[in-house]
Amino acid sequence: DLVVIPSFWRDDKTAEIIEPAELTAEQWGHLTGGMERLGREVRDHYGLEIVVHPHADTHIDTEPNVERFLDGTDPDLVSLCLDTGHYAYCGGDSVRLIRTYGERLGYLHLKQVDPDILADVVKNGVPFGPAVARGVMCEPPGGVPALEPVLAEAQKLGVDLFAIVEQDMYPCPADQPLPIAVRTRRFLRSCGA
């Protein structure tokens, strides 16, 4: 699978708004049609499938936008990379998404957000890059969504679904990620993953 992240409407580093946060109906048509063309080209020329990664500060972010995107694209050409942290960051319910669109999932990014930092980020309109620097993405099991029900729902799909565990944490000291990864692996093993 080839993971595709949609273009940002706000610059991740400068926080400059580079295009409107909401798309018109015509722009939605361009977005969905363009992703289908990309999916077809990648499949036909490289034998791969694309999985689109909903991401904060992009047009494919919130539940309504992710659902609109999925409803507007051909399942044979476009699958979804569900990043549980980004989806929660944007107010989405990962378990509900898996229940509703499970057949569209091609890949999982398991991640959590700190609900207290997220509440401040939302209240003050903080862009994603600075929110990450504040620690909005956190070490499991200290955040949301709870990963146990996400994993249980994904397992109910009965498919071999590839998952990666992530924690956006930049900048950070070079020795910080490994101990977090070890603890997170231990936690996920305790959940049956």
Side-chain angles (χ1 to χ4, degrees):
D1 290 343
L2 176 67
V3 178
V4 178
I5 295 179
S7 60
F8 289 78
W9 56 262
R10 178 166 43 191
D11 186 279
D12 199 33
K13 293 182 179 53
T14 68
E16 174 189 358
I17 294 178
I18 48 182
E19 61 182 76
E22 297 297 323
L23 295 177
T24 65
E26 180 181 12
Q27 290 169 323
W28 269 107
H30 291 306
L31 175 62
T32 55
M35 286 294 185
E36 287 178 337
R37 281 191 306 280
L38 178 62
R40 188 176 294 106
E41 290 293 317
V42 168
R43 180 194 65 199
D44 293 350
H45 288 92
Y46 303 101
L48 298 172
E49 294 181 11
I50 66 166
V51 288
V52 177
H53 180 315
H55 198 289
D57 291 350
T58 73
H59 296 108
I60 306 173
D61 53 0
T62 62
E63 272 189 15
N65 285 348
V66 170
E67 290 174 2
R68 184 174 184 174
F69 177 76
L70 290 171
D71 291 341
T73 52
D74 183 341
D76 292 330
L77 297 173
V78 179
S79 294
L80 191 74
C81 170
L82 172 58
D83 183 308
T84 60
H86 279 274
Y87 202 52
Y89 182 96
C90 297
D93 181 331
S94 292
V95 170
R96 182 169 46 233
L97 183 70
I98 295 168
R99 282 185 187 143
T100 309
Y101 292 96
E103 74 284 353
R104 298 293 299 271
L105 288 186
Y107 191 30
L108 279 174
H109 285 184
L110 299 172
K111 190 183 300 179
Q112 288 188 319
V113 294
D114 181 308
D116 296 328
I117 296 174
L118 180 61
D120 184 63
V121 162
V122 170
K123 177 183 171 189
N124 293 301
V126 177
F128 182 69
V132 168
R134 289 184 185 189
V136 73
M137 296 295 174
C138 65
E139 178 180 344
V144 296
L147 294 178
E148 298 93 327
V150 170
L151 291 167
E153 202 62 38
Q155 288 170 343
K156 287 180 189 176
L157 296 174
V159 297
D160 190 16
L161 190 59
F162 187 80
I164 190 168
V165 180
E166 295 184 320
Q167 182 179 343
D168 298 340
M169 46 190 297
Y170 45 85
C172 76
D175 61 349
Q176 189 176 3
L178 181 58
I180 292 172
V182 169
R183 290 189 299 268
T184 300
R185 182 172 192 263
R186 189 176 312 123
F187 165 71
L188 289 172
R189 291 285 187 221
S190 77
C191 299

